[in-house]
């Protein structure tokens, strides 16, 4: 899948979706997990991507799919070993996103010390909202982050509580992975995660960015 990004004549192709776990202390606490001392990164395949006003498809393998609302940074200029001071210059846009999670499969994987790729990587498990250029979204590090299910607020957090900032995450990830134009960084979810059901309507909101609306289906 390619994504249209404001300011780019050609669509970008997200090669990798870098997702950050436990980047809000309250969410780490609700998962009974420790707050990491460096970013905890996992990957989703690009086939998990689905755009605004699409459908999250509940897979038959799971009986407990959770919403995780997240601020997403879109990489515009790639690089390796990017300095934190330069990191935001590599971000070409921001969007509201969802890190959909098969919580039952993740729990099982944790118990077996298996990776999370299956629990996190199903098709449509990475909804991405409309992308705003950074100049239209100067306050992303000071933004309310909300998730509504059928109009009811389920998650109500704030990006100021992120343990690692967008700049720190870009710099950290680039020391491991060569970042490429179109790569996406899902920056972690605040507390309040919970299950979604067939027929639910989700709305992910990051203050200052266009909302992301998704249906849930089978
Ligand atoms: Mg997450």
């Amino acid at each position: 899948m390619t994504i249209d990004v404001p300011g780019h004549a050609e669509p970008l192709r997200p090669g990798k979706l870098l997702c950050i776990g436990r980047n809000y202390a309250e969410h780490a606490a609700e998962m009974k997990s420790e707050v990491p001392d460096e970013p905890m990164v996992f990957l989703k395949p690009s086939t998990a991507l689905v755009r605004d006003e699409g459908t999250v498809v509940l897979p038959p393998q799971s009986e407990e799919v959770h919403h995780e609302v997240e601020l997403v940074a879109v990489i515009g200029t790639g690089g390796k070993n990017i300095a934190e001071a330069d990191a935001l210059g590599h971000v070409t846009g921001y969007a509201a996103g969802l890190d959909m999670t098969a919580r039952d499969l993740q729990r099982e994987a944790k118990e077996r010390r298996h990776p999370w790729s299956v629990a996190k990587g199903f098709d449509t498990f990475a909804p991405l909202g409309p992308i705003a250029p950074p100049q239209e979204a100067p306050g992303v590090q000071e933004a309310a982050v909300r998730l509504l299910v059928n109009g009811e607020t389920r998650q109500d957090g704030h990006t100021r509580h992120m343990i690692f900032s967008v700049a720190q995450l870009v710099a950290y990830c680039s020391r491991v992975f060569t970042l490429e134009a179109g790569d996406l960084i899902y920056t972690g979810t605040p507390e309040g995660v919970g299950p979604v059901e067939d027929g639910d309507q989700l709305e992910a909101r990051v203050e200052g960015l266009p909302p992301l609306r998704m249906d849930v289906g089978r």
Side-chain angles (χ1 to χ4, degrees):
M1 180 190 284
T2 58
I3 54 174
D4 288 315
V5 180
H8 292 258
E10 301 290 328
L12 300 182
R13 183 177 296 279
K16 52 188 169 300
L17 281 53
L18 298 155
C19 303
I20 311 303
R22 303 171 194 166
N23 201 27
Y24 289 78
E26 295 286 314
H27 172 61
E30 76 180 346
M31 299 305 295
K32 299 185 170 44
S33 300
E34 304 210 338
V35 172
D37 52 14
E38 59 179 31
M40 200 270 265
V41 185
F42 61 92
L43 290 154
K44 292 198 189 214
S46 57
T47 43
L49 256 183
V50 58
R51 294 309 310 271
D52 183 41
E53 303 198 338
T55 301
V56 171
V57 179
L58 299 173
Q61 294 94 328
S62 173
E63 289 176 359
E64 190 185 359
V65 174
H66 278 201
H67 54 74
E68 295 189 359
V69 61
E70 311 201 351
L71 166 68
V72 181
V74 183
I75 299 297
T77 310
K80 178 82 179 171
N81 297 321
I82 297 166
E84 194 181 316
D86 302 329
L88 294 185
H90 289 257
V91 175
T92 195
Y94 293 96
L98 285 165
D99 165 18
M100 302 306 299
T101 303
R103 195 70 73 199
D104 47 355
L105 303 185
Q106 186 194 35
R107 209 177 292 125
E108 215 173 287
K110 285 178 179 175
E111 281 166 13
R112 296 182 184 187
R113 302 187 175 211
H114 285 180
W116 297 359
S117 306
V118 170
K120 294 282 196 176
F122 285 99
D123 290 358
T124 74
F125 267 29
L128 179 70
I131 297 163
Q135 60 273 23
E136 288 178 20
V140 287
Q141 212 60 73
E142 280 294 330
V145 179
R146 290 209 174 81
L147 188 279
L148 289 81
V149 180
N150 304 324
E152 189 182 297
T153 301
R154 298 282 176 84
Q155 288 185 265
D156 190 2
H158 201 283
T159 58
R160 82 164 74 94
H161 299 308
M162 285 169 63
I163 296 166
F164 300 102
S165 67
V166 172
Q168 288 174 311
L169 294 174
V170 169
Y172 179 86
C173 289
S174 79
R175 292 198 290 274
V176 181
F177 311 95
T178 296
L179 297 184
E180 300 172 299
D183 286 349
L184 303 174
I185 302 181
Y186 285 66
T187 62
T189 196
E191 67 277 14
V193 302
V196 300
E197 307 289 342
D198 188 7
D200 280 349
Q201 292 186 311
L202 311 181
E203 187 171 322
R205 292 187 192 162
V206 176
E207 191 178 357
L209 299 178
L212 159 65
R213 296 191 180 89
M214 297 295 298
D215 294 326
V216 179
R218 287 198 190 276

